[in-house]
Amino acid sequence: MTDQHVLVAYGSTNQGTAGIAVEIAATLREEGLTAEARPAGEVGDLSAYDAVVLGGGLYAGRWQRDARRLVRRLGPQLRDRPVWFFSSGPLDATAAEREIPPTRAVRRAMSRVAARGHTTFGGRLDPHPKGRLARSMAKRGMAHDWRDFDQIRAWAHTVAADLRKK
Ligand SMILES: Cc1cc2nc3c(=O)[nH]c(=O)nc-3n(C[C@H](O)[C@H](O)[C@H](O)COP(=O)(O)O)c2cc1C
């Protein structure tokens, strides 16, 4: 089945996770799927989609609020479709070096919707981010982009391959 419509929804405060979602959607389109990236807060219904990739920026071990809320709001619809999760967080090279398991909170959300898989990508701290704590981290020299777009595209290809097996 190649004409599947995939939603790539994301919860992102400083747009780092948004950039990952856009790249995943573009890779899925290269694979011949129909795919679009949308902010999780703007997704009201999943009936138009055959599958969902949902990602959240990590804040203190939890997904950014809009991603968490999407799981709560649309849990039953998510459970009815193939769903993959990704997290974006580590502000160092660890996510590119090894597979980082989902946090406890994300694991719980995965079991609620029977998510098929999860991966963690490096994060990005904007030099002028939203949030007091984020700004103080940036002032301390932590602003950097740790996202690895080759890793992101490689993971999206595995999702496409899995969807084709469906
Ligand atoms: C206040 C704060 C808390 C964070 N907590 C975590 C965390 O618990 N785990 C992690 O891997 N990254 C953590 N990060 C890094 C963010 O997840 C990273 O900056 C991510 O790219 C943010 O996504 P966004 O730009 O889409 O909002 C934190 C960043 C900030 C500013």
Side-chain angles (χ1 to χ4, degrees), residues 39-85:
E42 292 176 14
V43 177
D45 178 54
L46 298 178
S47 50
Y49 301 104
D50 301 298
V52 177
V53 176
L54 175 60
L58 286 171
Y59 287 88
R62 298 202 302 169
W63 266 0
Q64 190 269 3
R65 190 182 56 182
D66 296 336
R68 291 202 315 267
R69 284 189 176 164
L70 184 68
V71 173
R72 270 208 305 275
R73 288 190 290 116
L74 301 178
Q77 279 194 302
L78 285 166
R79 243 193 321 275
D80 277 353
R81 304 170 160 67
V83 175
W84 288 264
F85 278 6

Side-chain angles (χ1 to χ4, degrees), residues 10-20 55-62 64 87-92 94 100 103 120-126 129-138 142 144-147:
Y10 57 88
S12 180
T13 298
N14 283 299
Q15 302 314 305
T17 311
I20 294 172
L58 286 171
Y59 287 88
R62 298 202 302 169
Q64 190 269 3
S87 301
S88 167
L91 296 173
D92 56 28
T94 51
I100 296 180
T103 66
T120 303
F121 299 118
R124 181 189 69 163
L125 184 64
D126 191 88
K130 282 192 211 161
R132 206 161 49 90
L133 197 47
R135 277 194 297 278
S136 88
M137 287 162 67
M142 292 175 70
H144 187 76
D145 191 349
W146 292 99
R147 298 170 303 173

